[in-house]
Amino acid sequence: MGAAVFFGCAGIAFGPALALVLLTVAAEPERVFECFFPLPGSPRAFFWLVSLLLASLIWFVSVRLSDREDARLQYGLLVFGAAVSVLLQEIFRFAYFKLLKKADEGLAMISEDGRSPISLRQMAYVSGLSFGIISGVFSVINILADSIGPGIVGIHGDSPYYFITSAFLTMALVLLHTFWGVIFFDACEKRRYWCLGLVVASHLLTSGLTFLNPRYEASLVPIFIITFITGLWAFVTAGGSFRNILKCLSCK
Amino acid sequence: MITFMNNSDSEEEPCNERTSLMSAESPPVPSYQDGLQASEAGEAQARRKRRTGSNRSPNNIADGEMSDSGVPVRESALENEEEELTLKYGAKHVIMLFVPVTLCMIVVVATIKSVRFYTEKNGQLIYTPFSEDTTSVGQRLLNSVLNTIIMISVIVVMTVFLVLLYKYRCYKFIHGWLILSSLMLLFLFTYIYLGEVLKTYNVAMDYPTLFLVIWNFGAVGMICIHWKGPLQLQQAYLIMISALMALVFIKYLPEWSAWVILGAISIYDLMAVLCPKGPLRMLVETAQERNEPIFPALIYSSAMMWTVGMAKPDTAARGPSQQMWDAAEDGRENHRSPSHADSQMSETRSPVPTRPITSLEELEEEERGVKLGLGDFIFYSVLVGKAAATASGDWNTTLACFVAILIGLCLTLLLLAVFKKALPALPISITFGLVFYFSTDNLVRPFMDTLASHQLYI
């Protein structure tokens, strides 16, 4: 326990996200898209927060109206609250997409050659990344804060691997949000609604799989498989291909 | 905008804050209070842009009109450029302000979470005499409202006093007041802060070392803030004193009073800056009428380059066009109330109070930057710090308030770019912050806690 667990779990949870940020967003500080959409993440974080707020409101109201003593009912309400939250997140992602489209059009109008200086794909990527980071942070920060202090994990019979599995789940979630952002925006752009549906379904599935915790084999492994598949899908959607990888690796 | 402006000339390029519609002859007029200040494009700006011959790549039409004599061009061509540059300009400034605001909040939150002293209740300020230890909710609410009324009246009185002093040209008095306040902050409060931090971490320190450290810190701070110093050091000092002030408020304001005061002060800020008879607005207008720079204000500026006192041979070559330069902090400030009345820091930007505008050598150069009053820093940090201190050990609330404040700041800057005049920086951010604090603390926290206890992810 203590600092080692804290730094380890923080690194696991946010390492990939940090690497992505450093390599893509911060590496090109003069890029126009940095200028135009500053505050990496702030509006998107705001949108995510609002969606969380609404979902919590719904859950809170439903809990108040229900019988507190019934544990099964409470658990059911929790599941319901989680599902509502997932749906709201996707709705707000869509709303953010609409907002970006409008801003993009505005920028294209006033720019010199009628094109917006930022591509929608970049916006999708940054938006997905920001959603992921804020979602991950909210999920795991209290856990990380507790991991510094004294204590014994799972002393009441819960799993002793709580911290590390939480960190891995957070990492998967951050990456998933990034991929979903890319796929989602592309699907909205090209009006492929089945893609949209798939994204929402996979989000619900991921969230649902976490209900199988603490049976980590049943939850972590499938989630990582989903992450990998979604990553491949996002890569293909963003225009990548095997040839691109080869070109990139041979540093042409 | 900075990139554009810098392309055409050397680094002595006088990149200035755009000021909106200020007359060409107006010299830097830093307002006394703090506030959010943006320099907007105005006539002078347009002329200046052309004068400097910046490569205005986006709009080729303007290129044809490029001349150094500042002949006004077709406004329509300018309009487009203005808009785009406003956006880019605005976006860059948003980032430039986010970093210091974030740093200040981080310092405050880190201190609150680690040093017990600032969360212990050890009495109250004399401005909030009513105690909140009563048992009944109604009584407690009444007390906090009364505390707020007293505090806000003190602030209003101080502001009006300041405006009067300025109107009747009692500059020495104001200077002395500012210096005294910054002395107190830099030495006394830092000493207390350092003492508490050392106590928390159980580090032994002898008095001679302490004296040396505090003396150096304070002396360099005074010089940086009131006279000259490297920009980043100045910014760092301003952030530190804002954080110290915010910590004092967090410690000595009782809980409910703090929230009501935050709400009331954003309303006051709104009125003082926007109403025609608001004290801060009058201050700015007086300064503009007199065409003289006011003193060092409690303002954080994101980009300043002071090359005061340097003879600039090439500026002489620019001739009369130099006069259109409305450099420096201009009237576009949001004035923050003088809660700094009792502890004011001044950030000296104008070494020479009355600078004849035609003296080219003494013109100060500034990069484009945005200015935010220190009071805004302080109240943002108070909000986040209070959230960190009282939200039952929860980090989600702190984070939510933090995001809310940044979003509010972003919106305010957006409005600034649209309206091009001084705007209060507090109302939007504080409103969002308060809304998010109460909703996150009461709604989101139980939800997230319950989810985390089952290790569910959404």
Side-chain angles (χ1 to χ4, degrees):
Chain A
M1 292 286 292
V5 174
F6 171 73
F7 282 112
C9 289
I12 292 176
F14 296 113
L18 196 64
L20 282 173
V21 166
L22 284 177
L23 285 177
T24 54
V25 172
E28 303 169 312
E30 299 309 323
R31 271 209 78 136
V32 170
F33 95 104
E34 252 276 80
C35 285
F36 275 97
F37 285 94
L39 5 163
S42 204
R44 303 148 206 137
F46 184 69
F47 272 69
W48 188 86
L49 270 181
V50 174
S51 81
L52 182 63
L53 206 72
L54 289 175
S56 325
L57 181 65
I58 294 176
W59 175 79
F60 193 75
V61 166
S62 67
V63 163
R64 287 272 173 218
L65 294 176
S66 71
D67 173 22
R68 297 289 195 85
E69 304 305 316
D70 190 352
R72 271 197 61 91
L73 179 64
Q74 294 301 314
Y75 193 71
L77 281 179
L78 196 63
V79 173
F80 168 67
V84 166
S85 165
V86 167
L87 289 173
L88 276 174
Q89 281 179 50
E90 297 301 327
I91 291 177
F92 272 81
R93 205 200 294 269
F94 185 70
Y96 189 66
F97 166 76
K98 282 277 178 227
L99 184 70
L100 277 188
K101 276 290 281 187
K102 254 212 199 101
D104 199 36
E105 282 158 20
L107 288 173
M109 269 197 315
I110 65 175
S111 87
E112 50 178 354
D113 50 3
R115 272 184 334 108
S116 148
I118 334 166
S119 81
L120 201 64
R121 280 207 201 124
Q122 287 164 341
M123 286 199 260
Y125 164 71
V126 178
S127 138
L129 190 56
S130 329
F131 258 61
I133 291 180
I134 187 77
S135 159
V137 165
F138 258 71
S139 306
V140 96
I141 190 117
N142 279 328
I143 298 173
L144 283 179
D146 285 336
S147 71
I148 301 185
I152 300 180
V153 193
I155 197 171
H156 290 294
D158 300 306
S159 158
Y161 302 115
Y162 184 78
F163 286 144
I164 195 138
T165 49
S166 300
F168 274 108
L169 275 174
T170 312
M171 173 176 87
L173 205 66
V174 170
L175 290 174
L176 273 172
H177 268 286
T178 315
F179 301 146
W180 283 329
V182 172
I183 301 172
F184 193 93
F185 276 45
D186 189 68
C188 285
E189 188 70 15
K190 301 198 177 120
R191 299 189 188 285
R192 290 200 203 127
Y193 293 118
W194 58 274
C195 275
L196 271 189
L198 261 185
V199 166
V200 177
S202 72
H203 194 168
L204 280 171
L205 180 64
T206 311
S207 184
L209 278 173
T210 58
F211 284 84
L212 296 176
N213 282 331
R215 287 192 292 274
Y216 295 124
E217 327 66 47
S219 65
L220 266 186
V221 175
I223 288 184
F224 272 91
I225 294 178
I226 295 181
T227 312
F228 187 65
I229 296 177
T230 323
L232 278 179
W233 185 11
F235 181 65
V236 168
T237 314
S241 68
F242 193 54
R243 236 173 338 146
N244 281 357
I245 301 183
L246 284 182
K247 254 205 291 188
C248 170
L249 285 178
S250 63
C251 299
K252 280 219 197 85
Chain B
M1 199 48 151
I2 297 185
T3 49
F4 283 168
M5 292 297 280
N6 281 334
N7 274 342
S8 50
D9 278 277
S10 64
E11 68 273 6
E12 283 136 0
E13 168 69 43
C15 308
N16 320 307
E17 308 226 347
R18 300 191 278 172
T19 55
S20 85
L21 307 177
M22 272 180 58
S23 69
E25 287 79 343
S26 63
V29 278
S31 153
Y32 185 64
Q33 266 71 15
D34 349 306
L36 181 62
Q37 209 189 50
S39 2
E40 323 303 340
E43 267 300 305
Q45 172 64 9
R47 264 174 269 149
R48 192 181 335 140
K49 280 197 291 196
R50 246 144 312 114
R51 156 178 62 87
T52 58
S54 49
N55 351 344
R56 208 78 40 71
S57 43
N59 200 327
N60 298 321
I61 310 174
D63 284 342
E65 329 285 337
M66 218 59 81
S67 71
D68 277 347
S69 59
V71 172
V73 193
R74 291 190 301 261
E75 281 308 306
S76 57
L78 256 314
E79 275 298 311
N80 244 2
E81 271 176 47
E82 293 294 322
E83 267 181 53
E84 177 167 355
L85 292 170
T86 306
L87 275 181
K88 288 198 182 130
Y89 181 56
K92 189 131 191 168
H93 289 173
V94 172
I95 306 183
M96 286 203 281
L97 277 186
F98 264 42
V99 173
V101 171
T102 311
L103 275 177
C104 190
M105 290 200 255
I106 287 178
V107 169
V108 169
V109 170
T111 311
I112 293 274
K113 289 282 185 187
S114 52
V115 178
R116 288 273 144 253
F117 175 72
Y118 287 103
T119 40
E120 290 161 7
K121 292 236 14 110
N122 272 346
Q124 299 180 195
L125 295 172
I126 56 167
Y127 304 116
T128 53
F130 294 93
S131 149
E132 280 189 13
D133 279 334
T134 55
T135 43
S136 84
V137 171
Q139 181 71 14
R140 192 171 181 188
L141 197 61
L142 182 69
N143 281 352
S144 53
V145 170
L146 289 173
N147 279 339
T148 308
I149 294 177
I150 297 178
M151 186 90 172
I152 300 284
S153 356
V154 166
I155 288 174
V156 171
V157 163
M158 290 291 195
T159 320
V160 171
F161 184 48
L162 220 55
V163 173
L164 285 176
L165 281 179
Y166 183 65
K167 245 182 153 62
Y168 295 114
R169 303 176 190 266
C170 310
Y171 297 136
K172 284 208 180 348
F173 190 93
I174 301 185
H175 260 305
W177 187 0
L178 285 183
I179 290 184
L180 213 59
S181 331
S182 43
L183 262 177
M184 185 177 77
L185 254 184
L186 280 172
F187 287 98
L188 180 65
F189 285 8
T190 312
Y191 171 71
I192 296 176
Y193 179 78
L194 201 57
E196 292 306 322
V197 169
L198 292 175
K199 262 191 240 175
T200 307
Y201 291 106
N202 209 14
V203 174
M205 187 179 264
D206 51 310
Y207 273 114
T209 314
L210 188 71
F211 173 70
L212 203 68
V213 166
I214 298 226
W215 169 250
N216 279 313
F217 180 81
V220 175
M222 290 296 288
I223 294 177
C224 262
I225 295 174
H226 291 267
W227 195 44
K228 295 183 228 186
L231 173 68
Q232 285 176 328
L233 197 60
Q234 204 174 43
Q235 291 174 334
Y237 268 105
L238 290 173
I239 293 175
M240 278 192 276
I241 59 185
S242 310
L244 281 174
M245 199 60 217
L247 284 169
V248 166
F249 275 134
I250 294 173
K251 179 172 170 64
Y252 288 112
L253 285 179
E255 220 185 288
W256 289 23
S257 308
W259 299 115
V260 184
I261 286 178
L262 277 172
I265 225 159
S266 23
I267 300 178
Y268 166 70
D269 201 27
L270 195 67
M271 292 196 315
V273 175
L274 295 180
C275 289
K277 279 299 171 191
L280 302 177
R281 187 165 168 157
M282 280 186 358
L283 184 74
V284 169
E285 284 165 4
T286 318
Q288 287 180 4
E289 275 167 38
R290 289 186 194 169
N291 265 342
E292 64 185 18
I294 354 186
F295 348 73
L298 297 95
I299 295 204
Y300 175 96
S301 165
S302 50
M304 292 291 272
M305 257 180 357
W306 293 96
T307 51
V308 179
M310 265 164 58
K312 311 209 62 68
D314 58 347
T315 58
R318 301 228 193 97
S321 50
Q322 207 51 298
Q323 296 180 9
M324 303 179 206
W325 195 6
D326 28 20
E329 34 255 319
D330 54 311
R332 222 78 48 230
E333 318 191 51
N334 304 5
H335 303 151
R336 253 263 350 90
S337 51
S339 44
H340 311 298
D342 41 333
S343 60
Q344 307 201 356
M345 253 44 52
S346 42
E347 190 191 338
T348 313
R349 246 26 108 38
S350 52
V352 181
T354 50
R355 210 169 10 93
I357 187 59
T358 48
S359 152
L360 300 174
E361 286 85 340
E362 289 179 78
L363 277 173
E364 293 143 356
E365 295 187 346
E366 246 178 71
E367 289 180 357
R368 279 171 207 295
V370 199
K371 292 184 167 37
L372 184 63
L374 284 196
D376 299 321
F377 275 85
I378 292 180
F379 280 100
Y380 292 160
S381 309
V382 166
L383 192 141
V384 176
K386 268 290 187 205
T390 61
S392 23
D394 190 46
W395 282 88
N396 286 346
T397 319
T398 315
L399 274 174
C401 290
F402 171 71
V403 172
I405 288 183
L406 288 185
I407 280 285
L409 188 61
C410 175
L411 278 175
T412 312
L413 284 170
L414 207 70
L415 285 178
L416 199 60
V418 167
F419 285 114
K420 302 192 194 327
K421 59 185 207 134
L423 287 182
L426 282 184
I428 303 181
S429 290
I430 299 278
T431 314
F432 277 172
L434 287 175
V435 165
F436 269 79
Y437 170 75
F438 286 110
S439 51
T440 313
D441 201 32
N442 297 318
L443 297 175
V444 176
R445 190 177 45 88
F447 185 48
M448 294 300 281
D449 279 349
T450 324
L451 284 178
S453 66
H454 294 273
Q455 209 171 13
L456 302 178
Y457 279 74
I458 50 170

